[in-house]
Amino acid sequence: MTTAAHIVWFRQDLRLSDNPALAAAGDAPVLPVFVLDDAAAGRWATGGAARWWLHHSLDALGRALAERGAPLILLRGDTTTLLPELAARSGAAAVQAGQLPEPWARRQADAVAAALARDGRALHLHRSTTLRDPKELRAGSGNPYSVFAPFARKLLAGGDPAPPIPAPARLHGAPSPISSLPLAALDLLPRPPVPDWAAEFGTVWTPGEAGAQERLHRFVGTGLGHYAQRRNDPAIEGSSGLSPHLRWGEVSPRQVWHAAVAAMGGDRTRAEPFLREVIWREFSGYLLWHRPEMPEHALRPSFERFPFAPDATLLAAWQRGRTGYPIVDAGLHQLWRVGWMHNRVRLIAASLLVKHLLQPWQDGAAWFWDTLVDADLGNNSASWQWIAGAGTDAAPYFRVFNPATQARKFDPEGTYVRRWVPELRKLPTAFIHAPWEAPEPALRAAGVRLGDTYPRPIVDHATGRARALAALRTLRLPPAEAEAP
């Protein structure tokens, strides 16, 4: 008797190894499928930079699946119609897929499950993008965690995750009754008359499972042992660079976890400075699962009333990296050029936007959503709420970073700024992070004309800080939360 096929619905798990949905199909014939459904995602449809990544990741996944005997089917449109139709026409027994925390993705999965059930079929969801099921971890009160530290302790106390599942050597591909679209039909890349803003992305990134594994092995082999010392230096490759690979599931968090622990000789405590970053990603997705309003609304209700002063001109200057603060402008230039920004610089740039400039954190999050190759709804939202003081476990709003001070601390020689703000390259190190402090002869010698070749600060730090604290006081928070002692 012929075994009925299983549809493997790839979502944000674009890999063959450690893919529980693929493994669940067992020895049955498989129909691998990816559906681009922007309408279901709505305003959270994949942003421009992440679409570039998705194009190349799907290309890599398609080639890997074809080599194993099961070509990838690419579809575009309403998933709740296309998947049940594919199941009915192919006679598939079930659909296997990964579970996602995004509110729209959960609604989509529920609708697909209901449509399949009407035809006597089932959707089986598997934990493929997280270490733990977000429904499992609870505080002692029985409520979901809202603070990172106890969440991290609970997760660590649970021991290492299960070992990753090896990739199948071969797959039994089932014939598809529906023709796959060509990858170009998904329209994921910039095309004329739009300039190719992604031209430099490929010089930095290699999307796909093979690229993810190469970067993981390089990091645990040469970078992990120095991670705690180097992670905050934006001028070097001190971070793992795994975030975009994790965002599209080209590598799983438990693959990352086990590789890090193994590289430290099985001593998890030596790997914990890095593993805690993996857990922060986990916590962000966990918050999104339990607080689906997080991408749009402050998790602390009082911060819904924060008196932001939206200003399109200020926002545009920040987006273009024309704030007059070199470390911030360097970060925004790096973001535009290669689709990524160093995490320490993300914090400094975000702080300037929501505090000095009093712009809504949602506007900064929207810009990152469109320009980051690693744009992840949970991580992006939780991180912006953290810097804006609006999250359940956020940095106090009254901690207003001085961009120049932060830059001198984390980019002491100005190496990062000189790379991404070349018009300041010839400034002496003493003035590279605060060119407005440089004497006129030093500016002339460096070819810098403030207000012309490089902008003056968009706001004075002391003025911006005072205005931010005044805005905070309007919320009438308890003194401990309202202003620095």
Side-chain angles (χ1 to χ4, degrees):
M1 186 173 70
T2 303
T3 303
H6 283 231
I7 293 173
V8 179
W9 176 22
F10 285 89
R11 304 175 83 192
Q12 293 175 26
D13 44 14
L14 306 183
R15 64 182 184 274
L16 302 188
S17 59
D18 200 32
N19 190 322
L22 184 60
D27 296 327
V30 295
L31 280 165
V33 61
F34 177 88
V35 185
L36 182 66
D37 189 350
D38 288 334
R43 67 175 298 183
W44 300 117
T46 304
R51 290 172 90 85
W52 174 90
W53 192 287
L54 176 59
H55 173 96
H56 294 286
S57 188
L58 288 173
D59 181 48
L61 177 67
R63 286 186 277 108
L65 284 166
E67 288 170 1
R68 288 165 172 78
L72 177 64
I73 303 164
L74 297 175
L75 302 174
R76 184 175 191 176
D78 180 7
T79 307
T80 62
T81 299
L82 292 170
L83 273 184
E85 179 186 354
L86 178 61
R89 291 179 59 180
S90 65
V95 176
Q96 311 287 347
Q99 174 181 275
L100 299 179
E102 291 87 347
W104 69 265
R106 294 170 65 183
R107 292 192 296 269
Q108 181 188 60
D110 289 343
V112 168
L116 289 169
R118 288 193 290 270
D119 202 23
R121 294 179 171 85
L123 170 66
H124 301 288
L125 294 177
H126 306 272
R127 180 168 46 82
S128 62
T129 62
T130 60
L131 294 167
R132 297 283 297 273
D133 190 316
K135 300 186 293 294
E136 293 176 357
L137 291 176
R138 297 277 174 167
S141 64
N143 295 319
Y145 284 98
S146 59
V147 177
F148 174 71
F151 175 87
R153 285 195 297 269
K154 179 76 170 183
L155 195 146
L156 287 165
D160 293 336
I165 305 166
R170 288 290 299 170
L171 293 168
H172 180 189
S176 173
I178 299 177
S179 297
S180 173
L181 294 172
L183 180 56
L186 299 188
D187 198 22
L188 296 169
L189 298 177
R191 61 180 181 175
V194 175
D196 186 7
W197 43 260
E200 290 186 58
F201 286 14
T203 66
V204 177
W205 306 109
T206 306
E209 185 172 9
Q213 289 296 326
E214 189 279 330
R215 187 171 284 270
L216 174 61
H217 292 148
R218 184 173 77 239
F219 171 68
V220 299
T222 63
L224 179 61
H226 309 286
Y227 179 76
Q229 296 79 31
R230 296 181 178 177
R231 55 174 295 213
N232 281 314
D233 186 341
I236 63 174
E237 193 177 89
S239 60
S240 71
L242 289 167
S243 54
H245 297 289
L246 282 163
R247 187 264 184 265
W248 285 111
E250 297 167 346
V251 64
S252 75
R254 64 182 180 184
Q255 285 177 308
V256 173
W257 185 288
H258 280 281
V261 173
M264 294 292 101
D267 184 352
R268 194 181 72 185
T269 59
R270 293 177 58 205
E272 278 190 19
F274 171 66
L275 293 181
R276 290 183 72 83
E277 298 304 310
V278 178
I279 297 172
W280 171 258
R281 175 186 177 275
E282 185 89 2
F283 181 59
S284 299
Y286 176 89
L287 284 177
L288 182 61
W289 181 278
H290 292 285
R291 301 291 300 272
E293 73 275 20
M294 184 173 71
E296 296 161 4
H297 298 287
L299 296 185
R300 297 175 66 191
S302 58
F303 275 77
E304 282 286 276
R305 305 189 305 273
F306 193 91
F308 288 115
D311 184 311
T313 300
L314 291 178
L315 178 62
W318 179 84
Q319 290 170 335
R320 295 195 304 266
R322 299 288 294 170
T323 70
Y325 286 98
I327 190 72
V328 173
D329 296 340
L332 272 300
H333 294 169
Q334 181 185 30
L335 175 62
W336 186 255
R337 295 265 297 277
V338 300
W340 187 85
M341 188 194 301
H342 187 277
N343 187 62
R344 173 55 58 178
V345 184
R346 294 188 197 196
L347 297 178
I348 301 168
S351 177
L352 183 86
L353 184 72
V354 300
K355 296 179 180 178
H356 293 80
L357 302 183
L358 284 184
Q359 299 307 293
W361 61 264
Q362 294 93 333
D363 289 347
W367 185 248
F368 274 20
W369 181 255
D370 196 43
T371 54
L372 282 170
V373 292
D374 64 0
D376 171 275
L377 191 58
N379 209 15
N380 192 44
S381 305
S383 297
W384 273 95
Q385 292 225 27
W386 187 88
I387 201 67
T392 57
D393 184 21
Y397 184 89
F398 60 69
R399 291 182 184 168
V400 181
F401 290 152
N402 181 326
T405 301
Q406 290 282 306
R408 291 179 179 119
K409 179 178 180 180
F410 296 111
D411 186 31
E413 300 302 316
T415 308
Y416 177 77
V417 164
R418 286 189 172 89
R419 177 178 179 186
W420 295 108
V421 190
E423 57 267 41
L424 300 179
R425 185 179 295 140
K426 295 181 180 179
L427 268 181
T429 299
F431 306 114
I432 189 70
H433 296 304
W436 60 90
E437 295 179 355
E440 189 58 35
L443 291 172
R444 281 199 306 271
V448 176
R449 297 186 303 277
L450 292 180
D452 182 8
T453 63
Y454 186 73
R456 297 181 185 277
I458 196 167
V459 63
D460 172 71
H461 167 65
T463 301
R465 182 178 186 276
R467 186 172 60 172
L469 295 180
L472 179 65
R473 284 193 288 271
T474 68
L475 299 186
R476 301 186 183 279
L477 298 173
E481 300 179 43
E483 191 166 345

